[in-house]
Amino acid sequence: MKAHIVSPIPERVLLYAVDEKIRPKLSAVLQRLSIEECIVTDLDLAQDVGYLAGFPGFVSKEEAVTAPPACGGVLCMCGISNQRMNLLLKSLREEGIAVPLKAMVTATNQRWSFVKLIEELSKEHQAILQQKKEKA
């Protein structure tokens, strides 16, 4: 019987359109926690989230997509346990770093293009804001 060796997924954060004013502080937090930082550019938007996260089995795509409307920034966590995610989010709050759209890579969204991830996160964010507005 052959052993199936699964290589661990590196702790990585995908960042897109994060405000340049907070980027140095955000980079410092990631470096302090030994989490790899990966900047996603407009040229990467057609790529699958799994490819950008460094998951095996994903290949680069050659297609181009239109950048989504301004989103205020995206932080997508890959290969990070719940305990480490909580530590990261706590560290960001303590440093006063706000990135409006946050996600974890999941079995579902790893097959989405990064632009689709942004679109879905934006819809969810708007729905939450609308709910808060209605309660007020």
Side-chain angles (χ1 to χ4, degrees):
M1 184 161 91
K2 291 183 181 179
H4 230 12
I5 299 172
V6 178
S7 59
I9 296 166
E11 289 187 328
R12 178 179 290 168
V13 169
L14 306 175
L15 300 174
Y16 175 74
V18 173
D19 187 335
E20 291 298 320
K21 294 175 193 161
I22 64 170
R23 278 277 303 285
K25 286 172 63 174
L26 177 53
S27 294
V29 168
L30 294 173
Q31 186 173 19
R32 186 173 69 241
L33 296 175
S34 299
I35 297 173
E36 182 183 346
E37 177 179 358
C38 179
I39 305 301
V40 178
T41 68
D42 288 346
L43 298 175
D44 300 319
L45 292 174
Q47 302 301 327
D48 289 335
V49 173
Y51 173 78
L52 295 170
F55 292 2
F58 288 88
V59 295
S60 177
K61 294 183 176 177
E62 296 299 319
E63 60 191 272
V65 295
T66 305
C71 60
V74 177
L75 183 145
C76 182
M77 297 166 275
C78 319
I80 298 176
S81 68
N82 284 342
Q83 183 179 7
R84 293 274 291 162
M85 177 186 66
N86 290 336
L87 178 61
L88 171 59
L89 295 175
K90 180 182 177 209
S91 297
L92 294 177
R93 278 191 305 275
E94 288 172 350
E95 293 291 330
I97 300 168
V99 180
L101 303 180
K102 296 178 204 69
M104 254 330 249
V105 176
T106 66
T108 299
N109 69 22
Q110 69 181 339
R111 301 195 189 299
W112 294 352
S113 67
F114 202 81
V115 74
K116 179 175 179 173
L117 176 71
I118 294 169
E119 290 165 353
E120 293 298 320
L121 291 173
S122 295
K123 286 178 196 174
E124 289 175 14
H125 187 67
Q126 289 305 317
I128 291 168
L129 291 177
Q130 185 63 35
Q131 284 179 341
K132 287 181 181 180
K133 192 175 180 183
E134 289 170 2
K135 287 182 181 180

